[in-house]
Amino acid sequence: MSTLRDATLLRTKTLTPSVRELTFDAGGEFRFVAGQWVNLRGPAAASGEPLVRAYSIASAPSDDGVYSLAVTRVTGGPMSNWLHELSEGARVVQSHAQGFFTLEPVVRPIVMIGTGTGVTPLRSMLLSLTSEPLDVPVTLVFGNRTEEDILYRDDFESLAARLPSFTFLPTLSRAAAGWSGRAGYVQAHLAELVERTGKNADFYVCGLNRMVGEVRNLLRKELGVERQRVHTERYD
Ligand SMILES: Cc1cc2nc3c(=O)[nH]c(=O)nc-3n(C[C@H](O)[C@H](O)[C@H](O)COP(=O)(O)OP(=O)(O)OC[C@H]3O[C@@H](n4cnc5c(N)ncnc54)[C@H](O)[C@@H]3O)c2cc1C
């Protein structure tokens, strides 16, 4: 990991049954751009090599070095389980902020598509965008299995209530009876989105590789969106 620094775990919060938010203080000099990620170093594996995993930053850029991550507990996953058990006050080693999944100049409609904790860089982008007047329509399509899995739901609903130009579209692949929102995978809603926003929107897609690949293919090959308008981040 390049340019290492220590960060202190300030506080934690349970966001959903499988997602824990961790807020770190990395010191006043730590800076990031919305959409970037950090590498965190975990305990040494059996081989002696430290575990290193990337996590996208979920909070808006700030000047105080404090930032939040949202981590899904993966069954049998060494790093995510370690992070779910980490106590407040613990110190971890992290990299500087990295990655190019960041906002293009805001000159056309924006469509964000995320699943699970793939929403975290999108949330950071949204928070940075909505701190100023929003001149373009922004839509977030957020896929999860069930209603209780919708992390940061209150934030997205409040933003949508406050900003007429922001539309929040949660969709559930295993909706319970009584769910009145969208159903199915995010892929199922793409054609309608492109029809609504036009092909010339910027599409930001984040989550597990399979979803990101399918969404990219649909946008590019079936819906005619230009390559440079599709921005992706893959978690595996
Ligand atoms: C750029 C980047 C940003 C990332 N940001 C985040 C983030 O903000 N939050 C987060 O929880 N993870 C994020 N990840 C994934 C993270 O780096 C780890 O892969 C994850 O925590 C699993 O690590 P592990 O050691 O527990 O399990 P491993 O044994 O390394 O992985 C086991 C399996 O877990 C699956 N997996 C990985 N991430 C997820 C996930 N988020 N949800 C469900 N299944 C998953 C993969 O398919 C993998 O095969 C990111 C990955 C990358 C490359």
Side-chain angles (χ1 to χ4, degrees):
M1 297 203 299
S2 54
T3 330
L4 300 181
R5 64 171 63 235
D6 278 346
T8 303
L9 181 57
L10 288 183
R11 56 183 178 273
T12 65
K13 185 174 164 187
T14 300
L15 295 180
T16 77
S18 61
V19 179
R20 187 189 202 203
E21 182 180 66
L22 298 98
T23 299
F24 289 99
D25 182 351
E29 286 158 23
F30 175 67
R31 292 284 184 279
F32 67 93
V33 176
Q36 287 192 307
W37 48 272
V38 288
N39 267 327
L40 293 188
R41 186 189 279 179
S47 63
E49 287 293 308
L51 279 174
V52 177
R53 299 281 188 274
Y55 293 94
S56 300
I57 298 175
S59 49
S62 69
D63 293 335
D64 58 3
V66 174
Y67 70 91
S68 299
L69 307 175
V71 178
T72 303
R73 189 194 279 269
V74 173
T75 306
M79 185 71 171
S80 58
N81 280 279
W82 184 76
L83 287 170
H84 269 249
E85 301 304 325
L86 206 60
S87 303
E88 292 177 4
R91 287 175 78 76
V92 299
V93 176
Q94 67 161 77
S95 70
H96 64 286
Q98 300 175 64
F100 303 101
F101 184 67
T102 52
L103 283 167
E104 298 292 313
V106 182
V107 292
R108 47 179 71 83
I110 292 175
V111 179
M112 299 177 169
I113 300 160
T115 50
T117 39
V119 82
T120 58
L122 306 176
R123 178 178 186 259
S124 181
M125 291 176 186
L126 258 178
L127 294 176
S128 72
L129 275 174
T130 53
S131 61
E132 290 168 24
L134 198 51
D135 295 331
V136 302
V138 179
T139 306
L140 170 64
V141 186
F142 186 17
N144 284 286
R145 286 185 180 160
T146 68
E147 206 168 344
E148 66 177 8
D149 297 321
I150 310 174
L151 57 150
Y152 296 124
R153 179 179 181 174
D154 288 351
D155 295 359
F156 298 136
E157 288 183 343
S158 324
L159 271 183
R162 183 164 65 81
L163 300 170
S165 44
F166 173 59
T167 307
F168 176 46
L169 300 176
T171 181
L172 300 179
S173 59
R174 296 187 196 166
W179 169 252
S180 56
R182 287 170 182 250
Y185 292 132
V186 291
Q187 292 88 318
H189 307 291
L190 295 182
E192 179 203 329
L193 280 169
V194 171
E195 189 161 328
R196 191 197 295 190
T197 61
K199 291 177 195 175
N200 197 32
D202 272 310
F203 294 83
Y204 296 88
V205 191
C206 183
L208 295 179
N209 186 39
R210 186 169 157 192
M211 179 281 288
V212 174
E214 287 182 15
V215 168
R216 189 188 176 87
N217 274 343
L218 280 167
L219 289 173
R220 294 269 297 103
K221 295 184 180 156
E222 292 192 22
L223 300 168
V225 178
E226 298 279 341
R227 184 166 50 90
Q228 65 270 27
R229 298 274 73 83
V230 185
H231 317 282
T232 60
E233 185 82 287
R234 298 166 195 249
Y235 279 3
D236 60 339

